Amino acid sequence: MVIKPRIRGFVCITAHPAGCAAHVQEQIDCVLARGPIKQGPKNVLVIGASTGYGLASRITAAFGSRANTLGIFFERPSEEDRPATAGWYNTIAFTQAARNAGLYAANINGDAFSDEIKRQALDVIRREMGPIDLVVYSLASPRRVHPRTGAVHKSVLKPISAPYSNKTIDTDSGIVSEITIQPASEQEIADTVAVMGGEDWELWMAALEEARLIAPGATSVAYSYIGPEVTWPVYKNGTIGMAKNDLERAAKSIDAMLKTHGYGRAFVSVNKALVTQASSAIPVVPLYISILYKIMKAKGLHEGCIEQIQRLFSTQMYNGSALKFDDLGRVRIDDWEMKPEVQNAIPEVWEKVATENVAELSDMGGYRSEFLKLFGFGIPGVDYEADLEPHIPML
Ligand code: NAD
């Protein structure tokens, strides 16, 4: 089968196995080139391990610190004549590379919100890994079936209290238009907090603790975003922002739980805005990312997921360094995005940007190629005319 990108709105419904493998290898090479991370983690659980920040965390732990990893993710498997989702192929490529390097790597594909997947993970950890010294919580999901109540919660990306109007871009057509988003109802806010807030992270940590599978000195981290004022109504002060506040609440409660048992620390790291499957679904944000990329690239400050996480591990979490917290107890690896010289350059471009000049004023081209890359397309050296078998079993 010759696999081509098929884009529907903000997702690509196909993925290229060889391209995904090349994308994973690029990230492994980046970590190897930056050298070993000393005093790094050795036994790592990554929840949301197959794409974006979670995959970058898994790669950094394995190839920066030679860690054993267990990855949890929710991907559509391949079939005889139907490609899998990108995270499936990414995970196979990662697992092959890790095992070739003599590292332990195990995978569980299923709903991380469920008791059943937590039970399976505890079994693997107990049987094959031993106590975990790093738990990375990097889920981005549109829905959650609550394990206790059975209720289905769906997350929404909406402002709170008042409608919000701003520019947005259709990244496929390049059309910049004005969008108005109506405010969320109380129920929608509660549902978004139930999906993207911290309760499930707490359930994972409690399950690990109960099973005595947390190692002394262990760390747990979850990822958040703040960004510039232009996106606050739909992000920081919107439904997703309320969920992120809940994630920060959970970080404090997990940190206290870990300290009570003499284990270690838990915190939220605020990361940079990047093209991922999750961020491309947020209105307004892709236009901001396109403008941000142009400014950060011109200043030599641009980073992708792998550079962000490698910097987080090597300059804050490990390598003999210490965590630096902001006033609210969060680690800020979005520091380069938030530099005044970067942020001060945004409003002028934002004011002017329109369909006619978006290619010139923003890095729309860079956004698009990063987006395609998430699905394994547009990577130099990959033969996109090759007839491939899309069906590859999980390792
Ligand atoms: P992503 O879409 O690339 O990755 C999401 C991961 O979660 C995938 O591995 C997916 O398989 C997994 N997943 C989703 N639902 C699941 C379920 N029910 N069970 C098991 N696995 C499931 O997303 P991302 O952008 O890397 O986001 C990860 C975290 O980083 C999120 O908390 C996000 O808010 C945060 N973050 C993202 C950005 C950004 O710009 N992309 C910036 C800062 C913080």
Side-chain angles (χ1 to χ4, degrees), residues 75-134:
E75 301 291 340
R76 190 188 68 228
S78 58
E79 293 168 28
E80 285 306 331
D81 48 7
R82 189 180 182 212
T85 47
W88 182 266
Y89 295 135
N90 289 342
T91 302
I92 291 168
F94 167 84
T95 305
Q96 261 162 355
R99 290 184 188 166
N100 288 345
L103 302 171
Y104 172 91
N107 302 302
I108 298 176
N109 186 35
D111 183 4
F113 295 128
S114 68
D115 288 341
E116 171 56 21
I117 292 298
K118 290 184 178 71
R119 199 188 51 72
Q120 284 183 26
L122 295 180
D123 279 354
V124 171
I125 295 166
R126 194 180 293 111
R127 238 185 14 247
E128 300 178 13
M129 297 177 78
I132 294 294
D133 57 9
L134 172 63

Side-chain angles (χ1 to χ4, degrees), residues 246-265:
D246 189 63
L247 199 67
E248 288 177 28
R249 175 204 56 74
K252 292 194 180 79
S253 106
I254 294 167
D255 190 64
M257 180 275 278
L258 291 175
K259 293 208 160 61
T260 310
H261 296 283
Y263 289 127
R265 58 191 180 174

Side-chain angles (χ1 to χ4, degrees), residues 25-41:
Q25 190 58 48
E26 239 178 45
Q27 296 183 65
I28 294 172
D29 292 343
C30 168
V31 171
L32 291 175
R34 291 183 175 206
I37 297 168
K38 293 188 279 300
Q39 294 120 34

Side-chain angles (χ1 to χ4, degrees), residues 64-252:
S65 301
R66 297 202 53 78
N68 301 327
T69 59
L70 169 60
I72 315 288
F73 46 85
F74 208 6
E75 301 291 340
R76 190 188 68 228
S78 58
E79 293 168 28
E80 285 306 331
D81 48 7
R82 189 180 182 212
T85 47
W88 182 266
Y89 295 135
N90 289 342
T91 302
I92 291 168
F94 167 84
T95 305
Q96 261 162 355
R99 290 184 188 166
N100 288 345
L103 302 171
Y104 172 91
N107 302 302
I108 298 176
N109 186 35
D111 183 4
F113 295 128
S114 68
D115 288 341
E116 171 56 21
I117 292 298
K118 290 184 178 71
R119 199 188 51 72
Q120 284 183 26
L122 295 180
D123 279 354
V124 171
I125 295 166
R126 194 180 293 111
R127 238 185 14 247
E128 300 178 13
M129 297 177 78
I132 294 294
D133 57 9
L134 172 63
V135 180
V136 177
Y137 189 81
S138 188
L139 284 191
S141 174
R143 71 196 282 278
R144 172 181 177 211
V145 179
H146 198 284
R148 304 286 174 268
T149 63
V152 179
H153 301 283
K154 291 187 179 153
S155 65
V156 299
L157 295 157
K158 291 188 178 181
I160 289 173
S161 307
Y164 166 62
S165 297
N166 212 326
K167 290 179 183 177
T168 194
I169 190 165
D170 177 330
T171 48
D172 200 13
S173 66
I175 293 174
V176 177
S177 61
E178 187 85 2
I179 186 176
T180 298
I181 315 165
Q182 294 305 319
S185 65
E186 288 301 321
Q187 187 58 49
E188 286 176 317
I189 299 170
D191 281 335
T192 307
V193 171
V195 180
M196 289 297 288
E199 188 193 20
D200 182 59
W201 182 22
E202 291 178 285
L203 290 175
W204 271 99
M205 297 308 294
L208 285 162
E209 204 290 308
E210 231 164 81
R212 300 283 179 271
L213 291 174
I214 303 180
T219 292
S220 188
V221 59
Y223 300 136
S224 185
Y225 182 64
I226 294 176
E229 278 187 45
V230 69
T231 64
W232 281 5
V234 72
Y235 201 98
K236 177 177 166 292
N237 298 335
T239 48
I240 181 75
M242 299 305 109
K244 293 301 184 186
N245 291 347
D246 189 63
L247 199 67
E248 288 177 28
R249 175 204 56 74
K252 292 194 180 79

